[in-house]
Amino acid sequence: MAGFVGYLSIGIALHVTGVYTPPSPVMSFSNPVFTSLSFLVGGLICLLSGSLTFLTLLASVKYANAEFVVLMSLIAFGFGAATVRVTAGAVLTWLAGLRPV
C-alpha cells in the first residue's frame, strides 16, 4: 500500500515540476507499474476483508457489531474484487509481453 501511495505522490510531483516525463501517463492503464500495483492492492483488500468476514462469522454473529463488521467486510471485498477485475486484463497483457531472459 505504501508503494502505491509513493508511486502516486512521486509520479505526480515529478510530472508537475517537469523534472521527469514518464513514457506513459501517471495513473494510466497503459502504465504497467500502476496496473500491477492496483491489481496487488485489490487482491490484498480481498484477502484482508475475506479473512475479517470469516473470523467474524467464526467468532460470533449474534451481536449488532458483528453484523456491521460482516456487512462492511463484504462491501470491501466487492471493491477489491472489482479492482482486480478491472486491472486483470492490463496486467495479463503486460505479463504476456515480457520475454523470458
Side-chain angles (χ1 to χ4, degrees), residues 6-94:
Y7 161 76
L8 291 179
S9 60
I10 292 170
I12 291 173
L14 290 177
H15 184 67
V16 168
T17 57
V19 174
Y20 173 70
T21 304
S24 58
V26 177
M27 293 179 54
S28 164
F29 283 115
S30 62
N31 188 341
V33 175
F34 174 72
T35 54
S36 58
L37 285 175
S38 298
F39 182 81
L40 292 174
V41 167
L44 182 67
I45 290 171
C46 285
L47 178 69
L48 294 176
S49 61
S51 299
L52 183 61
T53 302
F54 177 71
L55 291 174
T56 303
L57 290 175
L58 189 64
S60 64
V61 191
K62 299 180 181 181
Y63 302 109
N65 291 341
E67 291 176 358
F68 181 74
V69 169
V70 169
L71 176 67
M72 291 297 118
S73 297
L74 292 176
I75 290 172
F77 187 85
F79 278 110
T83 303
V84 168
R85 182 172 187 227
V86 166
T87 57
V91 170
L92 290 176
T93 303
W94 176 67

